Amino acid sequence: MIIVTTDTIPGQNITTTVGLVRGNTIRARHLGKDIFAVFKNIVGGEISEYPKLMGESREQALDRLRDEAVRVGADAVVGLRFTTSMITQGASEILAYGTGVKLADE
């Protein structure tokens, strides 16, 4: 499955737009990691637990987007975007979305 942030795919002809495809996940922070983050905030330095959590969340959202694209019969996804929002204190949503398309047979 080709997934790109651009509206076209070099070397490919888009024949049909299937429609919006998306995948999301909602993750909550871990209390133990939050306590460690507070200490890191006091002494300084990168809080490595959060980028790891966000990276895992992005990958899961992408996996779900890919699954939906396959389900609706898309060959590729163009215009990929990510967005995030806070659902509740300590829980955030990562949403991946784009346009599912069909490609010309070669």
Side-chain angles (χ1 to χ4, degrees):
M1 171 76 55
I2 299 170
I3 301 175
V4 296
T5 59
T6 56
D7 292 331
T8 60
I9 303 169
Q12 299 286 333
N13 291 319
I14 296 172
T15 60
T16 308
T17 298
V18 177
L20 175 70
V21 291
R22 63 191 170 273
N24 73 322
T25 186
I26 299 172
R27 295 283 181 103
R29 297 182 311 207
H30 182 275
L31 180 61
K33 291 180 181 180
D34 278 351
I35 292 170
F36 182 73
V38 168
F39 289 122
K40 274 283 201 170
N41 201 18
I42 293 169
V43 299
E46 181 181 10
I47 303 170
S48 59
E49 289 76 21
Y50 293 148
K52 181 179 179 199
L53 176 65
M54 294 304 288
E56 291 168 353
S57 298
R58 279 189 302 273
E59 289 303 315
Q60 186 173 39
L62 266 177
D63 288 344
R64 290 176 178 177
L65 172 134
R66 189 177 294 110
D67 290 346
E68 182 172 332
V70 168
R71 185 180 58 77
V72 299
D75 298 324
V77 177
V78 297
L80 172 71
R81 301 290 184 265
F82 285 99
T83 187
T84 184
S85 60
M86 188 168 80
I87 300 300
T88 184
Q89 185 66 31
S92 295
E93 175 189 39
I94 297 274
L95 171 66
Y97 63 96
T99 303
V101 297
K102 296 284 251 174
L103 302 175
D105 292 331
E106 303 216 351

